[in-house]
Amino acid sequence: MIGFQPYETFQLLIETGGIDRANTLLVAACDAYSRRPKPMPTERMQFEALAQRLFPTASQTARARAAAKLARSPHLSPILENLVVENIGDELASFLENNESVSEELLLNIVEGGDVDKVALVAKRKDLTKKLVGKIFPVNSRKVYRSLSENRSIHFSGPYLRAISKAAAMDQSIAHALAAREDFDKAYLLPAFFDLKEEDRIEVLKAFQDRKIPRTKMHRTYEHISVATAEFTQAMMKLLSKNRRPEVTRLLTQITGLDEVRCGEIAHDVSGAALFVVLRAFGCNEYDGLKVLIHATAHDRNSSSALAQYTRLFKQIEPSAMVFAMSVWRGDAEISALAREASSAPISHEPVAPYSRRTPTLDKAADSATDAVERAMQAVQKLRNNKAS
C-alpha cells in the first residue's frame, strides 16, 4: 500500500532509527491511511500490524497527532478504532460525538468499560441504537444524564422517562435542559419544580391540563378541608398584604401537610406558580385565587401578563391535578403514576359536610384519617373560628 509498504522496511526503521524516526513514521503512516480510498482487506491488515507496532514506541504527542489523523478515515476497523480512542487525547470528544463511522461495537465497549467521561461523550451521539441507550441509562452518573437530557434524538418513555425525571429532581442542569425541550412531557419535571425558572414552572402547570390524575390519599383530605376555602384565601390575603411570609409558611404547614421547608419555598415564591398549586388544590376559582396571587407575586415588574396566564390556568386545570402535585411534593405519590391508568372512579372535588364529632360514623374515611389530615382539619377549624370572632 502506497505510503507505508513494505512492512519489513518500516520494521527495520523502527528498530534502527530511534523514537524520533518512530514518531515521524507513525504520523506519516496514519496520514497516508486516512487519505486512502477504501483499502483492500490485506492492506488494512498490514496497516493494523504496523500501527500496533508503531503506537507503543512513539511519544505521547506523536500518538495524539497520529490518532487525530487516523480518526479522519471512514474505514476504521475495530482494532484501529481502539487505537484512536486510546491515543487521541483531548480530541476524543470530537471523535466520539461527530464521527459518523464509529461502530456500535466500539461504543458498547466504551460504555461497558465504565469510564464516566467517555460514556458521557457517547451519550451525546445522535445515532444511538436501542441497545446502546439500554446500556447507558444504568450508568449512575450526573455527567451521563446531563448528556442524555441534551440529546434530542432520544425520546424518553417508560423506565427511561422515570429515570431521567428522577435525575432532574437531583440536578438543576438536567432539569433546565429538559425544560428547554419541546418534546419532553413537562409534567415529569414536577419534582424539580422549585429549581426551574418562572416560565418553565408555568409550562409544568400547563402540562396537567386534561390529564387523567391518579387518586391519592390527599384527595379525600382536600374534599374535607375545601369547605374552608373562603377562610383560607382571606387569611392568605391578609398575611401576604403585610408581607408576613413566615406566618404564611406556618399556615401552609398546618393546612397542607407539607414539611416546613417546602412550605417556606411556596410562601417565598414570588412567581406565584407554587402558590397557585395550593390555591387550586383548595378549589379556589380565578376570582379568589388571583386576589391572593396579586399580593404574593413580585411588585417590581409588570405582572399583568403573568396574572393573565394564571387566570387561564384556574379555568383549565382541575383541583384534583394540583392535589396530585402536592402529593408528589409530599412524597405520597410518584410522578411516574401519571403513566399508569388513573383510578376508574372519577375524582370528585365537591365540598362535603364538615366532620362532626357527634356523628363519627358519618364517614368511615374520616375515622381512618392520618395525623396530617387531623392537623389540617384542626387548622381549618381554627381559620373558621377566627373569622367568626
Side-chain angles (χ1 to χ4, degrees), residues 88-98 121:
I88 199 169
D90 294 339
E91 294 190 40
L92 178 63
S94 177
F95 174 71
L96 291 179
E97 290 179 36
N98 305 319
L121 293 174

Side-chain angles (χ1 to χ4, degrees), residues 277-299:
V277 174
V278 178
L279 293 172
R280 193 58 180 140
F282 265 90
C284 289
N285 57 27
E286 65 272 20
Y287 177 74
D288 292 329
L290 285 177
K291 287 193 294 185
V292 178
L293 288 177
I294 288 172
H295 292 292
T297 52
H299 296 283

Side-chain angles (χ1 to χ4, degrees), residues 186-200:
K186 302 298 192 302
Y188 282 84
L189 291 176
L190 183 63
F193 188 85
F194 293 91
D195 293 328
L196 299 176
K197 302 174 183 177
E198 180 178 351
E199 58 269 24
D200 294 330

Side-chain angles (χ1 to χ4, degrees), residues 56-367:
T57 61
S59 66
Q60 183 176 354
T61 303
R63 292 199 302 269
R65 286 183 57 205
K69 291 182 178 294
L70 186 58
R72 302 175 191 150
S73 174
H75 308 296
L76 296 179
S77 67
I79 292 175
L80 298 178
E81 284 181 331
N82 285 325
L83 287 172
V84 170
V85 171
E86 292 170 0
N87 296 283
I88 199 169
D90 294 339
E91 294 190 40
L92 178 63
S94 177
F95 174 71
L96 291 179
E97 290 179 36
N98 305 319
N99 195 319
E100 298 179 359
S101 63
V102 176
S103 67
E104 182 183 35
E105 180 183 355
L106 173 68
L107 298 177
L108 285 171
N109 288 338
I110 292 174
V111 175
E112 291 171 355
D115 187 316
V116 170
D117 292 332
K118 292 180 180 178
V119 176
L121 293 174
V122 173
K124 294 181 180 182
R125 290 183 62 87
K126 308 304 180 186
D127 59 347
L128 294 178
T129 62
K130 290 182 180 180
K131 187 175 182 179
L132 272 167
V133 173
K135 293 285 186 181
I136 292 172
F137 262 94
V139 179
N140 188 16
S141 166
R142 292 192 178 191
K143 273 189 176 181
V144 173
Y145 274 81
R146 286 173 182 173
S147 296
L148 290 170
S149 65
E150 296 170 359
N151 191 340
R152 295 178 181 259
S153 67
I154 299 176
H155 176 69
F156 300 103
S157 61
Y160 300 150
L161 179 58
R162 292 194 293 272
I164 201 71
S165 63
K166 287 182 179 179
M170 296 183 288
D171 191 299
Q172 290 186 17
S173 297
I174 297 173
H176 292 164
L178 294 174
R181 293 180 55 157
E182 296 179 357
D183 63 334
F184 188 77
D185 187 350
K186 302 298 192 302
Y188 282 84
L189 291 176
L190 183 63
F193 188 85
F194 293 91
D195 293 328
L196 299 176
K197 302 174 183 177
E198 180 178 351
E199 58 269 24
D200 294 330
R201 294 182 184 186
I202 297 294
E203 293 303 315
V204 172
L205 296 177
K206 288 180 180 179
F208 282 91
Q209 298 176 25
D210 303 322
R211 295 189 80 130
K212 290 184 178 180
I213 302 299
R215 192 175 180 85
T216 70
K217 58 185 179 182
M218 285 189 75
H219 282 98
R220 190 57 178 164
T221 303
Y222 277 82
E223 287 171 358
H224 281 281
I225 65 178
S226 60
V227 297
T229 297
E231 291 89 341
F232 172 68
T233 54
Q234 287 179 10
M236 291 291 289
M237 278 190 290
K238 181 178 179 180
L239 293 174
L240 289 170
S241 64
K242 298 179 181 179
N243 201 29
R244 293 158 63 181
R245 295 185 187 263
E247 294 180 47
V248 172
T249 300
R250 288 195 292 272
L251 176 61
L252 292 176
T253 304
Q254 293 174 330
I255 297 293
T256 65
L258 296 169
D259 63 78
E260 188 173 352
V261 174
R262 181 66 78 207
C263 290
E265 290 179 305
I266 296 172
H268 291 83
D269 176 24
V270 294
S271 75
L275 186 57
F276 168 85
V277 174
V278 178
L279 293 172
R280 193 58 180 140
F282 265 90
C284 289
N285 57 27
E286 65 272 20
Y287 177 74
D288 292 329
L290 285 177
K291 287 193 294 185
V292 178
L293 288 177
I294 288 172
H295 292 292
T297 52
H299 296 283
D300 57 350
R301 61 184 176 82
N302 183 3
S303 59
S304 59
S305 59
L307 293 175
Q309 287 191 89
Y310 286 121
T311 301
R312 291 190 292 271
L313 290 175
F314 273 110
K315 295 178 180 179
Q316 296 168 350
I317 297 179
E318 294 298 321
S320 60
M322 296 298 92
V323 174
F324 174 76
M326 292 180 62
S327 297
V328 173
W329 291 348
R330 185 176 167 179
D332 294 337
E334 294 288 340
I335 189 62
S336 58
L338 282 177
R340 297 192 289 269
E341 188 69 22
S343 173
S344 57
I347 298 175
S348 173
H349 201 73
E350 294 297 323
V352 299
Y355 182 83
S356 174
R357 293 183 178 179
R358 289 178 296 178
T359 56
T361 59
L362 182 64
D363 192 337
K364 294 181 180 179
D367 291 334

